[in-house]
Amino acid sequence: MRTPLFIRSILLLGLLAPVLAQAAELYRYVDDRGVVVLDRHGVPPQHIGRGYQVLNEQGRVIREIPPAPSAEEFQRLQADKARAAADAKLLRLYASVEDVERAEARRLAELDSVIGLTQGNLQALRNQQDNLQKQAANHERAGRGVPENLLAQIANLEQEQASLQRDLKRYEKGRVEARSSFADDRQRVAELLGQTP
């Protein structure tokens, strides 16, 4: 039977093993004067960005921490990372150039439909306004004043038409942007898949 002291010693050794193993590590870095420094306590914060090595008790490199990238390198790495993410997303959406073309056709058909509806609504409002203006002209020809509610209806129709015209411009701009975006997607998918667009 083992004694409690023996068991406590084993437990204590188990707890201290990571600490002792870490204490045996050396950190090698270059200081401000260009001198190689070995330190058991770690790398001072001002030197971490230059990179360093972690050595075991025999002096062998067990880990190497590379230098931090410069601001330009960091921006390039971030741009590359963003591009890779965008490419991955694009390839999840489209398996081929034909998929891009089908998506473009669907989107343009949707926009054409909305543009057609908006133009139809705009024409209907113009027809209503023409009828109301004819009624207003009849009142004036008869020597009567134009009723306020008739003038208010004409003004409302003008506002609705202006709103629809703004919507129409937005949809047409969206159509141009969609064509451009799909052209870019088609080109990039072709590059990624090694196909000709």
Side-chain angles (χ1 to χ4, degrees):
M1 181 141 205
R2 301 202 175 180
T3 65
L5 182 61
F6 177 75
I7 293 172
R8 276 193 230 144
S9 300
I10 296 294
L11 287 174
L12 186 59
L13 260 174
L15 292 173
L16 288 177
V19 174
L20 292 173
Q22 190 174 10
E25 290 180 343
L26 286 171
Y27 298 88
R28 181 168 50 195
Y29 62 93
V30 178
D31 69 7
D32 293 330
R33 296 176 307 227
V35 176
V36 175
V37 178
L38 289 173
D39 193 337
R40 289 198 179 280
H41 302 293
V43 181
Q46 67 270 22
H47 301 300
I48 288 177
R50 294 188 198 130
Y52 59 93
Q53 295 175 325
V54 181
L55 313 172
N56 64 14
E57 64 257 2
Q58 286 86 29
R60 292 193 185 112
V61 176
I62 55 174
R63 273 193 323 273
E64 187 155 349
I65 310 304
S70 67
E72 295 82 21
E73 289 172 330
F74 181 74
Q75 285 180 339
R76 185 183 51 75
L77 289 171
Q78 291 299 97
D80 290 348
K81 189 177 176 182
R83 183 63 170 178
D87 288 346
K89 180 180 177 186
L90 203 56
L91 290 177
R92 279 194 305 274
L93 287 173
Y94 310 114
S96 66
V97 173
E98 292 78 20
D99 286 349
V100 179
E101 291 168 349
R102 281 191 290 275
E104 177 182 19
R106 275 193 309 273
R107 181 65 182 140
L108 293 179
E110 289 169 4
L111 286 169
D112 288 343
S113 176
V114 170
I115 288 169
L117 287 171
T118 305
Q119 288 171 335
N121 290 340
L122 192 55
Q123 188 57 49
L125 290 176
R126 286 180 183 144
N127 291 341
Q128 284 180 331
Q129 184 179 0
D130 286 346
N131 288 336
L132 293 176
Q133 285 176 333
K134 285 178 187 174
Q135 290 177 25
N138 288 339
H139 282 286
E140 288 177 344
R141 277 194 292 275
R144 298 186 302 266
V146 179
E148 288 298 319
N149 67 339
L150 191 57
L151 292 174
Q153 286 177 331
I154 292 171
N156 285 340
L157 288 173
E158 288 172 352
Q159 288 176 355
E160 287 181 44
Q161 288 176 64
S163 175
L164 284 177
Q165 285 171 339
R166 285 192 299 272
D167 290 346
L168 194 56
K169 284 181 183 175
R170 192 175 75 245
Y171 299 143
E172 288 169 348
K173 181 181 177 190
R175 193 179 194 288
V176 170
E177 290 170 353
R179 287 185 66 88
S180 173
S181 175
F182 278 109
D184 293 343
D185 289 352
R186 186 171 35 253
Q187 180 68 36
R188 188 62 184 155
V189 167
E191 289 171 10
L192 292 170
L193 298 176
Q195 298 177 347
T196 54

